[in-house]
Amino acid sequence: MKKLSEKNSVLLALLSMALLQVCCSRISATTCIEKEREALLRLKKSFEDPSSRLSSWNGTNCCNWNGVSCNQTSGHVIKIDLRNNQVYSLDNTALFSNSIDTSLLDFKYLNYLDLSGNNFNNTQIPKFLGSMLELRYLDLSLASFYGKVPTHLGNLTKLVFLDLSTTYGFGNGTLKLLNGGDGEWISRLSSLQVLNLSGMSFPSASNLMQVLSSVPSLSSLRLSHCSLQNNHLSLGSLNSSFLTRIQLLDLSYNNLTGPIPSETFHNITTLRFLDLSGNKFTSIKGGLLSFIGNNCGLKELYLSSNLDLGGDVFGGYENESMDCNRYDLQVLELGSVPVKNRIPNWLGKLKNLRDLYLGYCYIYGPIPASLGNLSNLETLSLGGNDLSGAIPNTFGRLLNLRGLSLGYNRLEEMGVESFSQLRNLESLDISSNRFKGIITEAYFANLSQLNSLTMGGNDFLFDINPNWVPPFQLTFLSASSCQCFGGKFPQWLQTQTKLRNLQLGNTSISSPLPTWLRGQNLTHLILYRNQIVGPLPMNMGDQMPNLRELYLNDNHINNSLPPSICKLKSLRVLDLSNNRLSGIVHGCFLTSNMLSLDLSYNKFSGTFPYSQGNLSNVVQLYLRNNNFEGSMPIVLKGSKFLLYLDMEGNNFSGNIPTWVGYRLTDLRFLNLRGNMFNGIIPSSLCLLPYLQILDLAHNQLGGNIPSNLNNFSVMAGKIESSFISCNAPGCTFIGKNVQQYLKSRKMDYSFSQIELVVNLDLSNNSLFGFIPNEITTLKKLVGLNLSHNNLVGTIPVQMGAIESLQSLDLSFNQLFGPIPTSMSKLSSLGVLELSHNNLSGDIPREGHLSTFNEASSFESNTFLCGDPLPVKCVVEKSFEPPYGGENLDQEDKWDKWLFYIMIILGYVTGFWTVVGVLLLKRSWRDAYFTYVEKATFRVRISMSQGIEKLKGIYISK
């Protein structure tokens, strides 16, 4: 997306500043003021500088330091520019500090201050900035400030540019870090021309737009991601002065509703840039054709992601009357707006269009040939629709086109004329269509500027001379799910020396990795789901030293990991699952850069690196179905961002350490199934609030089920699931399919489906004791399996409170008592297993329980009866006692009394016989007490040894 740059648009309005900055360019003859040099050194000391950005800040002449400019005449520092341009890069170069240092107060003539993109650790913007009255340019954007903006900033009456934004336009869920209060302080900034408050909240501003429109010089205003509603803005009551000077207005990603106020924008005669994306607008009066016709001077219009925008969005189709003599519109973006119609021919008359975005708009039908008239077009995005037919040959006239996106449609034909003459084309996406036939060199003969090619998901075949040398140098090639290379690595890839991202997944490649695939510049290599054979190249780390993501999963790669893999220090994602790899995994490639590691379904053995390596930022770790052994890898103890941990099907043993619950506080998925873990389930596991899936089945765990289960906050419904959140630095979340045992079988869940699964499986262990009542507080559980243990007691009475339960298995335990009638409320229950227990009484048939008609769900409960079991319940009947019943009762009473008397006499006789002998025979008496004393001593020794053993176990834990 290309938007106007406020920093560039201000240059004409800030002519004096521009001249000042030219005069203040670094001249070696200018010497800075000593007091200000010392202040700069104090400022430097206040920062942590891991990337040494301030390394030039030494020596006597601070006017030569990077980011510092001085007045050529006086030597005073007038500009400090410490912006971090890499804020969204994987190689973050931010400065860190807990506050803006007061040393800035020593710069009395400072008029330019830029601290954007650095990290001030969620501290507040200091009030003292409001006393730096010479400031004309202040940029504190994206710098991790928090709290209320000090109203003292309103004192900066010379300020021309102010940017306090906290977002970068990535969607409506952006975190709000700053509070602008009622916004009245902004009205005092009498010189302000450019204002960006995106991401700021205004909880007490009921007339925000009126306050902002009172700023006399304001021409550029951004309020994106501010949670604004219609009452904040009242666009219809803007003052006339504002309407005649505002040029840029960004209200994107707020909560604005209703029809787009076309009349208001028609009155803004100076408006050149308007962004209303990401709101909840419902219609455009007269349609888009009328809106553009009433704003002939508008250059950029953004309406994307208004998901409620219905009606006739385009407004007119045939025989349209165009209201403007000349249209200045250069950018039109409607991405993800449900247009649900054809592309109108009149778009071809917007001759100044530079960028046209109509992706994911539910557009259907053919692409109109009139789009070929847009001779100034540089970007055309039509992907993700239902377009059919052919790519028009008129596209060959778009000689300025640099980006063409047609992916994910139903297009069937493309001729050589469609884009073979597009000499300026840099990016081409034709993926996931229905293109067939043969692709030859002629299609690419003139595409000398092409650097990105996406063409997977089609049925065409490349028929290219093996010695072909393309006219382009690609940096990105994606041909996944395309059988276009005949099962081989295309030879012409050898010529692509600038290639950084190569994606050939699911292309039926059946050869080994070629030795010529050196890829010195490769950062992404994606070759999943092929039939690649043989070992990994021994010098892989030397051939591809810059790799960040490597996907070789679902192939036939064998042998062990080559030692050179340890040289891949930048590796962030490594997926080698479903291969035939074996041997020991060394910790040398486990670095703090690693975010996702998948070694599942191989034959790796030995201990997973116990302490070597550093997985402090890992988010996903999958070790399923190998032969790993040893205890829980202590290398994970510092993995505070870990979300997924899957160790199923190995030979891990020992206790589950308590630090799992104390340290891995972000865990969502913990699977230790099918190992040899023993000991008890530590209660600290229940301190994992976000845990959504816990599978400890098929181990050797004993003891009780922890009673603090209600601390599982997601399972209990206290907080919402957040499976896709990722807090690790530079993390882009990678969704993977997940396997879970649910409803008595193994099931595969896609990344989107697993968010809905909440599962607790403790089956096939040696757990004993009662089922804790706290388990009934886990109201979001979808699956609960406690089968094949030694649990006793009754089924919790409130089991029916687990409203979401779909699968419940309590079989093969020693539970007794009745089946709680509350379980009839489990309306979602699809699997119920209560067999092989000691349950008794009638099987409840109320509510949803009446649908379980398989006897196997209840069998082997000796005292259980009723449908669907063949054992019928006996109904006891009352009866009258026979004649003479009172006499019989009296006889029974005398029999009982006689029985009790005989027992008492026998006890007295036996007691005095033994005691009498001991009193009369001293030798017998001494022998008796000696025996008692020795027996007591042995009991004490045994108890003492048992206590010491328990202490040892506790200390080891």
Side-chain angles (χ1 to χ4, degrees):
M1 182 188 299
K2 296 180 179 180
K3 298 188 176 182
L4 291 177
S5 169
E6 291 91 333
K7 296 181 182 179
N8 291 330
S9 66
V10 177
L11 290 178
L12 292 176
L14 300 179
L15 186 57
S16 60
M17 281 187 64
L19 292 173
L20 188 61
Q21 291 177 24
V22 170
C23 294
C24 297
S25 60
R26 194 174 295 111
I27 299 176
S28 59
T30 304
T31 303
C32 70
I33 309 300
E34 178 62 21
K35 181 180 178 181
E36 294 181 349
R37 189 184 75 87
E38 293 175 355
L40 286 171
L41 291 175
R42 292 200 305 275
L43 181 62
K44 175 183 179 181
K45 189 176 180 180
S46 71
F47 289 113
E48 293 180 28
D49 184 14
S51 59
S52 300
R53 283 175 51 202
L54 303 181
S55 59
S56 69
W57 285 31
N58 56 64
T60 58
N61 192 359
C62 64
C63 295
N64 286 336
W65 296 354
N66 289 338
V68 179
S69 296
C70 300
N71 183 288
Q72 185 179 4
T73 303
S74 66
H76 285 292
V77 173
I78 59 173
K79 177 179 179 180
I80 297 177
D81 186 353
L82 298 180
R83 78 184 71 178
N84 173 29
N85 293 320
Q86 305 297 322
V87 64
Y88 290 108
S89 169
L90 298 176
D91 305 316
N92 198 340
T93 57
L95 302 171
F96 293 85
S97 180
N98 287 324
S99 64
I100 297 180
D101 195 75
T102 56
S103 58
L104 288 176
L105 291 173
D106 288 337
F107 304 105
K108 303 298 182 183
Y109 301 92
L110 193 70
N111 59 52
Y112 188 110
L113 178 61
D114 191 338
L115 300 175
S116 61
N118 293 297
N119 190 336
F120 288 92
N121 197 26
N122 291 333
T123 55
Q124 289 189 302
I125 296 174
K127 297 177 182 179
F128 72 75
L129 289 181
S131 63
M132 301 180 68
L133 302 181
E134 295 299 316
L135 278 179
R136 298 185 181 184
Y137 186 105
L138 178 59
D139 191 344
L140 302 178
S141 61
L142 303 166
S144 301
F145 286 110
Y146 177 80
K148 192 171 183 179
V149 175
T151 58
H152 303 70
L153 293 186
N155 299 331
L156 303 177
T157 55
K158 293 184 179 181
L159 208 60
V160 176
F161 180 100
L162 176 61
D163 191 344
L164 301 178
S165 60
T166 61
T167 71
Y168 202 67
F170 283 134
N172 239 345
T174 309
L175 183 65
K176 306 298 186 295
L177 297 177
L178 285 174
N179 178 346
D182 59 9
E184 292 288 343
W185 56 275
I186 304 170
S187 63
R188 306 202 306 272
L189 301 174
S190 55
S191 301
L192 196 64
Q193 295 183 20
V194 177
L195 178 61
N196 189 347
L197 302 178
S198 295
M200 188 182 294
S201 62
F202 294 90
S204 55
S206 58
N207 59 342
L208 179 63
M209 206 63 191
Q210 283 64 47
V211 170
L212 295 173
S213 67
S214 68
V215 180
S217 302
L218 193 63
S219 62
S220 175
L221 174 62
R222 288 190 182 274
L223 293 172
S224 178
H225 297 84
C226 289
S227 298
L228 299 177
Q229 300 181 15
N230 292 29
N231 63 309
H232 286 103
L233 297 178
S234 303
L235 294 173
S237 59
L238 296 175
N239 66 47
S240 57
S241 173
F242 181 81
L243 296 175
T244 57
R245 58 178 152 71
I246 193 70
Q247 297 181 30
L248 183 151
L249 182 59
D250 182 356
L251 301 174
S252 61
Y253 292 96
N254 284 292
N255 297 313
L256 304 177
T257 61
I260 292 176
S262 304
E263 298 82 1
T264 299
F265 298 118
H266 177 51
N267 293 328
I268 306 179
T269 57
T270 56
L271 193 62
R272 298 294 177 264
F273 177 107
L274 178 62
D275 192 344
L276 301 176
S277 308
N279 281 285
K280 300 176 182 178
F281 289 117
T282 55
S283 62
I284 309 175
K285 185 178 180 180
L288 188 61
L289 179 62
S290 174
F291 187 90
I292 297 173
N294 289 325
N295 295 274
C296 300
L298 195 63
K299 290 188 175 182
E300 300 190 30
L301 176 60
Y302 300 86
L303 297 174
S304 63
S305 299
N306 276 281
L307 304 181
D308 299 325
L309 196 57
D312 190 352
V313 175
F314 284 126
Y317 289 87
E318 303 299 333
N319 301 317
E320 308 88 352
S321 60
M322 308 297 280
D323 297 330
C324 300
N325 294 326
R326 167 190 164 91
Y327 288 91
D328 290 337
L329 196 66
Q330 297 178 6
V331 178
L332 176 60
E333 181 172 317
L334 291 174
S336 299
V337 171
V339 174
K340 297 181 180 179
N341 218 319
R342 296 172 181 264
I343 299 175
N345 283 317
W346 60 258
L347 281 176
K349 298 181 180 180
L350 301 176
K351 296 297 181 65
N352 287 310
L353 264 184
R354 187 185 72 236
D355 301 306
L356 178 59
Y357 297 89
L358 297 175
Y360 297 90
C361 290
Y362 299 93
I363 294 172
Y364 57 85
I367 300 174
S370 62
L371 294 186
N373 299 329
L374 302 176
S375 57
N376 291 309
L377 206 62
E378 295 181 8
T379 304
L380 177 58
S381 178
L382 301 175
N385 286 295
D386 199 26
L387 297 170
S388 56
I391 299 176
N393 289 337
T394 57
F395 275 23
R397 302 202 299 260
L398 301 176
L399 300 182
N400 289 307
L401 200 63
R402 298 171 63 185
L404 177 59
S405 177
L406 301 173
Y408 292 91
N409 279 287
R410 293 191 297 119
L411 297 169
E412 299 174 351
E413 299 177 31
M414 58 177 180
V416 176
E417 302 85 359
S418 299
F419 49 77
S420 63
Q421 299 301 318
L422 304 182
R423 291 180 172 83
N424 291 307
L425 195 65
E426 297 175 3
S427 174
L428 175 62
D429 183 355
I430 55 173
S431 62
S432 298
N433 277 282
R434 299 180 178 178
F435 295 122
K436 298 179 181 179
I438 303 297
I439 300 295
T440 65
E441 299 96 323
Y443 282 81
F444 305 99
N446 296 301
L447 304 185
S448 59
Q449 300 301 311
L450 194 67
N451 61 59
S452 175
L453 176 59
T454 307
M455 57 183 182
N458 286 292
D459 293 328
F460 48 62
L461 184 65
F462 268 64
D463 185 10
I464 290 177
N465 189 309
N467 299 320
W468 177 57
V469 178
F472 49 73
Q473 279 290 324
L474 297 179
T475 60
F476 178 92
L477 172 61
S478 175
S480 295
S481 299
C482 176
Q483 313 305 314
C484 40
F485 301 124
K488 300 177 181 179
F489 283 96
Q491 291 290 320
W492 57 266
L493 280 181
Q494 297 183 61
T495 68
Q496 303 301 295
T497 58
K498 296 182 179 180
L499 201 61
R500 294 176 58 84
N501 192 322
L502 176 60
Q503 302 183 15
L504 298 178
N506 192 29
T507 52
S508 300
I509 294 175
S510 56
S511 58
L513 289 171
T515 56
W516 50 258
L517 188 62
R518 300 193 179 278
Q520 290 292 323
N521 295 309
L522 270 180
T523 59
H524 296 68
L525 179 58
I526 300 173
L527 300 172
Y528 61 83
R529 291 183 203 156
N530 284 292
Q531 289 89 47
I532 297 173
V533 296
L536 295 173
M538 290 301 294
N539 57 345
M540 188 173 189
D542 298 310
Q543 289 180 336
M544 308 172 192
N546 297 310
L547 269 186
R548 289 180 174 173
E549 296 188 12
L550 176 59
Y551 291 86
L552 294 174
N553 51 296
D554 298 276
N555 280 285
H556 304 311
I557 300 171
N558 57 20
N559 216 327
S560 58
L561 297 179
S564 68
I565 200 172
C566 295
K567 296 181 179 180
L568 301 178
K569 298 300 183 183
S570 299
L571 207 58
R572 297 163 58 82
V573 178
L574 176 61
D575 193 341
L576 300 174
S577 60
N578 286 287
N579 278 287
R580 300 169 183 174
L581 291 161
S582 58
I584 295 175
V585 174
H586 297 286
C588 53
F589 72 95
L590 306 181
T591 71
S592 59
N593 288 320
M594 188 73 72
L595 295 178
S596 179
L597 175 61
D598 193 344
L599 304 177
S600 302
Y601 295 100
N602 280 287
K603 300 177 182 179
F604 290 115
S605 58
T607 59
F608 188 78
Y610 188 75
S611 59
Q612 288 181 325
N614 178 2
L615 289 175
S616 57
N617 292 317
V618 71
V619 175
Q620 302 175 96
L621 178 61
Y622 302 94
L623 305 176
R624 173 191 292 251
N625 282 68
N626 279 284
N627 296 311
F628 288 117
E629 58 188 35
S631 58
M632 177 78 76
I634 201 169
V635 72
L636 298 177
K637 197 170 184 179
S639 305
K640 58 184 177 181
F641 302 114
L642 191 61
L643 300 182
Y644 290 83
L645 178 57
D646 189 345
M647 299 168 59
E648 178 182 338
N650 284 283
N651 298 313
F652 289 107
S653 59
N655 296 336
I656 299 174
T658 56
W659 55 257
V660 173
Y662 292 125
R663 296 293 192 94
L664 309 183
T665 53
D666 262 7
L667 267 183
R668 270 67 168 170
F669 179 100
L670 177 58
N671 185 3
L672 305 181
R673 185 187 189 94
N675 283 283
M676 296 186 290
F677 286 108
N678 53 35
I680 63 171
I681 300 174
S683 60
S684 63
L685 281 188
C686 301
L687 301 178
L688 299 171
Y690 303 107
L691 197 64
Q692 190 167 325
I693 293 175
L694 176 60
D695 192 341
L696 305 179
H698 291 271
N699 278 284
Q700 300 169 12
L701 299 169
N704 297 307
I705 299 173
S707 60
N708 57 336
L709 293 171
N710 54 341
N711 288 331
F712 287 133
S713 298
V714 167
M715 292 188 187
K718 298 175 185 177
I719 57 177
E720 291 296 321
S721 169
S722 52
F723 244 83
I724 62 172
S725 66
C726 184
N727 298 319
C731 179
T732 301
F733 197 81
I734 305 149
K736 290 180 65 70
N737 286 4
V738 175
Q739 290 184 342
Q740 267 292 281
Y741 289 84
L742 198 63
K743 298 183 178 180
S744 302
R745 63 184 186 275
K746 183 166 69 173
M747 303 177 70
D748 284 317
Y749 292 95
S750 68
F751 175 62
S752 58
Q753 292 171 327
I754 199 63
E755 290 190 64
L756 305 176
V757 178
V758 182
N759 191 26
L760 177 60
D761 194 339
L762 308 178
S763 62
N764 288 274
N765 280 288
S766 300
L767 302 174
F768 54 79
F770 301 99
I771 300 175
N773 287 323
E774 288 79 6
I775 208 165
T776 63
T777 66
L778 306 182
K779 297 183 179 181
K780 294 295 182 180
L781 274 183
V782 172
L784 175 59
N785 192 345
L786 305 178
S787 66
H788 293 85
N789 280 291
N790 299 312
L791 300 174
V792 297
T794 59
I795 300 173
V797 175
Q798 297 301 321
M799 186 63 77
I802 311 179
E803 303 164 355
S804 301
L805 208 58
Q806 298 179 19
S807 177
L808 175 62
D809 192 347
L810 303 177
S811 62
F812 292 92
N813 280 289
Q814 300 174 32
L815 302 173
F816 55 79
I819 299 173
T821 56
S822 69
M823 289 174 59
S824 62
K825 301 176 183 178
L826 300 177
S827 57
S828 299
L829 200 63
V831 173
L832 176 62
E833 293 291 343
L834 301 177
S835 62
H836 297 275
N837 279 288
N838 297 315
L839 300 173
S840 60
D842 298 6
I843 298 175
R845 302 298 288 170
E846 296 86 2
H848 191 64
L849 287 180
S850 64
T851 64
F852 292 97
N853 296 315
E854 294 293 331
S856 59
S857 296
F858 307 96
E859 65 186 5
S860 296
N861 284 281
T862 306
F863 302 105
L864 203 59
C865 60
D867 291 336
L869 292 177
V871 180
K872 302 302 179 185
C873 297
V874 177
V875 180
E876 296 183 3
K877 297 182 179 180
S878 59
F879 62 92
E880 294 292 332
Y883 179 75
E886 293 182 4
N887 293 335
L888 292 174
D889 288 343
Q890 291 294 333
E891 291 179 5
D892 287 343
K893 288 180 181 179
W894 282 110
D895 289 344
K896 289 178 181 178
W897 277 109
L898 182 61
F899 177 71
Y900 295 148
I901 291 170
M902 295 298 293
I903 289 175
I904 293 170
L905 288 175
Y907 173 77
V908 171
T909 302
F911 175 80
W912 283 109
T913 300
V914 174
V915 173
V917 171
L918 291 176
L919 289 174
L920 295 175
K921 282 282 196 178
R922 177 169 182 162
S923 59
W924 288 18
R925 185 167 67 247
D926 291 342
Y928 171 75
F929 285 114
T930 300
Y931 170 78
V932 171
E933 185 176 339
K934 289 182 178 179
T936 304
F937 178 75
R938 284 195 296 270
V939 170
R940 287 177 178 173
I941 290 297
S942 298
M943 290 179 66
S944 176
Q945 291 174 345
I947 290 171
E948 290 300 321
K949 186 177 295 184
L950 288 172
K951 285 182 178 179
I953 294 172
Y954 179 78
I955 290 171
S956 66
K957 289 183 179 180

